[in-house]
Amino acid sequence: MKPAPPHPRWAPWFFVAPFLVLFGVFTLWPLAQSLVLALQQTFGPKLTVFVGLGNFEFLLRDPLFWHAVRNTALYTLGAVAIQLPGALGLALLLNRPGLRGRACFRLIFFAPSLVGLVFVGVMFTLLFQKHTGLINAGLHTLWRGWDPEFAWLDQHVMPSLIVASVWLYAGFNMIYFLAALQNVNRELLDAASIDGAGPWARFRHIVLPEIRPVAGFVVLLSVIGSFQLFELPWVLLNNSAGPDDRGLTIVMYLYQTGFLTGDLGYASAIGWVLGLLLAGVALVQTRLARAEEN
Amino acid sequence: MSSPRPLDFLTTGAWIVLALAVLSSAAYLAWPVPSRPGRQFWLFSPPNEQHYRAALGRWNAAQPNPADHANLTLIHFQALERRLVAAFTVDAPVADLVETESLMMARAFGAPLADIGFVDLTDRLRAEGLFDRINAPSFSVWTTRGRTFALPHDVHPCLLAYRADLVEAAGIDVSTIETWDDFRRVLGPLIRDLDGDGRPDRYLLNFWETNRDLVTVLLRQAGAQFFDADQRLELDTARNAHVLASLVSWIAGPGRFCVDAPEFTAGGDAMRLDGTVLCSILPDWQAGTWKNYLPGLGGKVKLMRLPAWEPGGRRTSVWGGTSLGITKAAPDFERSWALAKYLYLSPQVAESLFRATSIISPVKELWTLPFYHEPDPYFSGQKVGALYIAEAPHVPERRSSPHAAFVMDRMVTVLSALKARAVAQGQFDAPALLPEARRLLALAQRDLSVRIDRNVLAGSAP
């Protein structure tokens, strides 16, 4: 057999060069630029003035930023506390042995995540309308005491967003949980049943510990995704943060600041703080997972 | 052992990938960029695009040189806004002429005068007497720091559209209505619970505190400017407090007469069609929209002047606005200017605009043309053009600012908070709400001022 020709020393660099170039141009360079921008006050990219840490100082005492942080945290809490148990519940239902039409149900629950966020926003805008929206009209038909003018998108923006996101993502996260459940050791479950463990005991002492790594991963993904929330409220609230900025999220505030008022410097500062927040969340989650393993 | 040749390590597959990369890059670089001779003209309004097509067909036919032809491109509002920002901040390619909306132009006005991406038309407008020929208030929103950067397309006065079939069947004569208080008193008996569930199913007016446009229209009718002549915020005024406190009594409490029937939504249109809402504030452009999208209201609606805030007060307001700007990137200003004047000043284009959209021209000498004075069967035979023209000189002036959108948002927030306070205290009487309205306005003004003054580069730079 003819031996493979020896590689010159620069051969590996040749192969990784496309990635390095793209990563440098589209990730590292913008990252460095955004750090420089965060230290400037701008009106568009042409007009800039160096302000040092001024943007970060203003951000710390900017009530609108903290309002956005509070809204985002509330949404994240709702999304994680409602969506993930919901997803796990769906996965447990679909994982029942002998369930007929499992593939069909899986498709039905997963289907919402196949459509885009913008579509979901438009659809829920119609569903949540006063008087004529399906939710208000339906509830009013079922119960005459229900106010057909119930202002989902005026007074109850965050609950509306959480409902929409549960509809969208519960099926998606269900797939992760279903995969994890199918890897739970059957022998352990059977042994526990023989020893008299009921369904709750089996779930708590066998299933939950077995799926914990996947659950941790799903929680982390959900938290990061929730902190990046933008399109759904933007469409749902008709290209705005809604009345009294009730739907203002961190990324929406970044967008408004950078692209509507032209202050790219302040928007970069918001972006860096968001990045640090997410890094902190990931760090805490990793620490917790490691402590759990130990 | 012989030393390896530099490229021996590349397998056949790697060569294929490399060849494809090189070929596709070369093809991309060599691909000719289609160039369209003549003036490029971008706009965002589909109805305008439709009627300009015919007008520009005539224009192009009359131009022997293809370089003088006009090419029309319809771009979605937000895409056009983004494109203009890119053009004016990083010199991205842009059309010669751009039809802009008032908030879009306001953003362009954030730059120092010399850096605004549109050509300053002030001297040209003055030299050609256009400041006299065009309705004066129509220039205000296209003007910053005393300089005008666009040719106004419209006036957009507001009238009140009402369900004549229902109002007249109840024997009500709307000519007795002069103020908003009269409006509530005269039409009040029409608020009805039709299905016996204890809630009214018919309201007098489409208005809600979350409708930023309508809040702004009503504040402007009362004379609110939001900014003074030096671009300083002007929110905390007795007039604004009075309007906001009154609006709370319109939407909450025992005297409520408004309902939320948002424009451009199927739900809102259904409420207009089934009579849940009797009256709507209607600028001329929306009269055209109704004719196109709500044919079911044809022959059932009429127009009247807006009720005033006080006896003898202004009976109209203004909603929206479009203009034509010539960008600094345009290579031949004179040709672009000639095209702009053809589109905005000619009687033929004004007629096709009115017939397609119900929008009246701001050019005063055209207001006597017969098509503006024809009865319109949709509005029960009223002369719609003449009704809007009668209000055109009285529309409020508007001071343009890059912060206008945020200020309007904040007024909605103030109204929302004032309503919440009224509901919490069960106090819906407008005079009693005035102190709280002033407090909230002062708070909003302080907070917005900090935000606006923070950026030394935006806004009022010379």
Side-chain angles (χ1 to χ4, degrees):
Chain A
M1 194 175 130
K2 189 180 165 189
H7 296 171
R9 286 169 65 181
W10 48 266
W13 292 106
F14 180 83
F15 284 109
V16 295
F19 165 75
L20 286 180
V21 169
L22 293 175
F23 183 71
V25 171
F26 292 109
T27 305
L28 283 184
W29 174 246
L31 210 60
Q33 272 294 104
S34 78
L35 192 58
V36 175
L37 265 178
L39 305 176
Q40 294 176 333
Q41 204 166 78
T42 67
F43 183 77
K46 277 203 291 199
L47 299 171
T48 61
V49 57
F50 182 76
V51 291
L53 294 175
N55 286 329
F56 292 95
E57 274 173 37
F58 185 77
L59 190 135
L60 289 177
R61 55 193 166 80
D62 178 359
L64 218 48
F65 173 73
W66 292 109
H67 185 64
V69 171
R70 196 165 52 244
N71 282 345
T72 311
L74 195 67
Y75 170 82
T76 305
L77 196 69
V80 172
I82 298 170
Q83 191 194 108
L84 297 189
L88 180 58
L90 287 177
L92 286 167
L93 280 174
L94 291 191
N95 198 42
R96 288 168 72 90
L99 178 75
R100 295 175 64 164
R102 186 197 312 262
C104 184
F105 283 120
R106 203 162 47 200
L107 177 66
I108 289 170
F109 292 138
F110 184 72
S113 54
L114 295 176
V115 297
L117 271 171
V118 172
F119 172 83
V120 177
V122 171
M123 191 179 74
F124 273 89
T125 307
L126 297 174
L127 290 176
F128 283 133
Q129 290 224 330
K130 296 175 196 171
H131 290 284
T132 51
L134 185 65
I135 295 174
N136 275 341
L139 289 171
H140 184 65
T141 306
L142 291 173
W143 176 44
R144 301 300 278 175
W146 181 265
D147 182 1
E149 290 191 276
F150 190 83
W152 290 99
L153 297 178
D154 297 351
Q155 308 292 331
H156 309 280
V157 173
M158 275 300 144
S160 306
L161 275 174
I162 290 168
V163 167
S165 79
V166 166
W167 182 84
L168 179 62
Y169 291 120
F172 183 77
N173 289 324
M174 175 200 76
I175 296 293
Y176 285 111
F177 285 122
L178 198 56
L181 286 173
Q182 285 167 357
N183 283 327
V184 171
N185 192 333
R186 278 265 19 124
E187 289 171 9
L188 283 178
L189 288 170
D190 291 343
S193 293
I194 291 167
D195 287 343
W200 172 244
R202 289 201 300 273
F203 174 74
R204 193 176 155 208
H205 297 293
I206 298 173
V207 174
L208 214 51
E210 289 264 310
I211 66 168
R212 187 159 287 162
V214 172
F217 172 71
V218 173
V219 168
L220 184 64
L221 274 192
S222 296
V223 170
I224 291 174
S226 300
F227 266 85
Q228 292 173 339
L229 182 70
F230 172 63
E231 303 99 311
L232 188 59
W234 190 249
V235 177
L236 203 59
L237 301 170
N238 196 17
N239 296 349
S240 76
D244 212 5
D245 292 316
R246 288 186 188 114
L248 186 72
T249 64
I250 302 175
V251 178
M252 194 188 286
Y253 189 43
L254 185 157
Y255 172 79
Q256 286 184 340
T257 309
F259 297 100
L260 298 186
T261 64
D263 194 346
L264 294 169
Y266 192 48
S268 297
I270 296 170
W272 274 96
V273 171
L274 175 63
L276 290 174
L277 270 174
L278 288 177
V281 168
L283 197 68
V284 168
Q285 204 274 341
T286 314
R287 286 272 162 85
L288 285 175
R290 203 168 289 161
E292 196 80 33
E293 280 170 20
N294 292 338
Chain B
M1 190 175 140
S2 63
S3 63
R5 281 182 299 168
L7 295 177
D8 274 357
F9 65 91
L10 283 178
T11 61
T12 312
W15 275 114
I16 291 172
V17 170
L18 198 63
L20 283 174
V22 171
L23 280 176
S24 57
S25 302
Y28 174 77
L29 291 173
W31 205 268
V33 178
S35 66
R36 295 201 293 175
R39 313 262 83 79
Q40 305 305 318
F41 176 18
W42 292 351
L43 77 171
F44 65 90
S45 163
N48 285 7
E49 191 248 358
Q50 278 180 20
H51 96 94
Y52 285 158
R53 285 247 170 254
L56 289 179
R58 292 193 294 272
W59 166 270
N60 288 344
Q63 311 298 320
N65 183 356
D68 293 332
H69 286 189
N71 298 308
L72 202 57
T73 307
L74 180 68
I75 303 178
H76 187 271
F77 178 84
Q78 278 154 350
L80 181 57
E81 191 176 32
R82 296 274 78 78
R83 193 63 193 257
L84 281 183
V85 169
F88 296 161
T89 55
V90 291
D91 301 324
V94 66
D96 305 70
L97 298 104
V98 181
E99 205 170 72
T100 55
E101 189 271 344
S102 53
L103 289 178
M104 212 187 283
M105 182 62 101
R107 295 218 168 93
F109 285 171
L113 273 181
D115 289 333
I116 292 174
F118 288 107
V119 176
D120 180 351
L121 300 177
T122 317
D123 298 333
R124 182 59 69 106
L125 289 165
R126 190 170 293 126
E128 298 193 15
L130 288 171
F131 280 125
D132 300 322
R133 289 174 63 194
I134 292 176
N135 193 41
S138 297
F139 283 106
S140 60
V141 80
W142 316 112
T143 301
T144 182
R145 288 152 275 182
R147 310 299 296 178
T148 302
F149 287 83
L151 196 56
H153 169 265
D154 41 51
V155 185
H156 290 340
C158 293
L159 294 172
L160 192 72
Y162 64 98
R163 284 290 297 266
D165 55 338
L166 301 174
V167 171
E168 288 170 4
I172 292 173
D173 176 11
V174 297
S175 68
T176 59
I177 296 172
E178 191 198 353
T179 64
W180 285 112
D181 288 338
D182 296 341
F183 176 80
R184 185 202 305 241
R185 180 176 47 76
V186 172
L187 292 179
L190 291 175
I191 300 176
R192 297 260 172 82
D193 173 12
L194 300 171
D195 62 3
D197 69 349
R199 300 173 198 280
D201 301 295
R202 176 168 292 157
Y203 289 91
L204 304 186
L205 183 66
N206 169 32
F207 172 77
W208 208 243
E209 86 263 22
T210 49
N211 193 324
R212 183 179 83 171
D213 288 342
L214 282 175
V215 173
T216 310
V217 163
L218 288 163
L219 280 162
R220 287 201 192 286
Q221 186 199 5
Q225 281 286 4
F226 307 129
F227 295 90
D228 67 13
D230 297 321
Q231 287 285 305
R232 281 189 300 264
L233 266 180
E234 199 179 63
L235 304 187
D236 180 20
T237 65
R239 180 177 43 217
N240 289 352
H242 166 68
V243 172
L244 294 181
S246 302
L247 292 179
V248 167
S249 72
W250 292 16
I251 53 176
R256 173 186 165 189
F257 63 84
C258 293
V259 70
D260 190 13
E263 303 80 19
F264 316 115
T265 64
D269 287 345
M271 291 163 76
R272 275 177 275 282
L273 285 167
D274 68 16
T276 304
V277 58
L278 292 178
C279 306
S280 299
I281 295 173
L282 205 72
D284 56 354
W285 58 270
Q286 230 180 90
T289 309
W290 276 29
K291 285 164 75 172
N292 289 326
Y293 294 99
L294 287 171
L297 287 180
K300 295 179 180 173
V301 280
K302 280 187 179 174
L303 296 169
M304 61 180 276
R305 301 170 77 196
L306 282 192
W309 280 104
E310 64 281 314
R314 184 186 279 125
R315 300 290 302 268
T316 189
S317 186
V318 63
W319 185 349
T322 303
S323 71
L324 191 57
I326 298 172
T327 62
K328 286 179 177 166
D332 183 348
F333 172 80
E334 293 303 332
R335 295 306 304 165
S336 298
W337 179 240
L339 177 58
K341 285 196 294 184
Y342 164 73
L343 285 175
Y344 275 30
L345 305 182
S346 85
Q348 293 80 12
V349 181
E351 179 171 359
S352 74
L353 174 72
F354 180 72
R355 294 205 186 280
T357 64
S358 298
I359 294 172
I360 60 164
S361 164
V363 183
K364 291 185 279 187
E365 71 218 25
L366 303 181
W367 289 349
T368 52
L369 291 173
F371 59 86
Y372 284 133
H373 301 269
E374 290 171 4
D376 188 332
Y378 186 90
F379 289 99
S380 311
Q382 288 181 305
K383 294 171 183 171
V384 173
L387 287 172
Y388 279 112
I389 284 168
E391 300 306 322
H394 311 297
V395 297
E397 295 205 352
R398 294 173 282 178
R399 293 203 178 104
S400 193
S401 162
H403 308 288
F406 292 98
V407 170
M408 287 151 68
D409 280 341
R410 189 52 66 95
M411 294 308 268
V412 166
T413 302
V414 169
L415 180 57
S416 235
L418 192 60
K419 180 189 167 191
R421 171 74 171 241
V423 171
Q425 297 188 337
Q427 173 59 267
F428 302 99
D429 188 31
L433 289 170
L434 282 177
E436 178 64 4
R438 285 305 290 263
R439 189 187 72 81
L440 290 168
L441 284 168
L443 206 65
Q445 176 154 331
R446 211 163 41 239
D447 179 52
L448 276 172
S449 296
V450 169
R451 206 164 283 283
I452 289 170
D453 295 344
R454 195 187 78 80
N455 196 334
V456 295
L457 297 168
S460 55

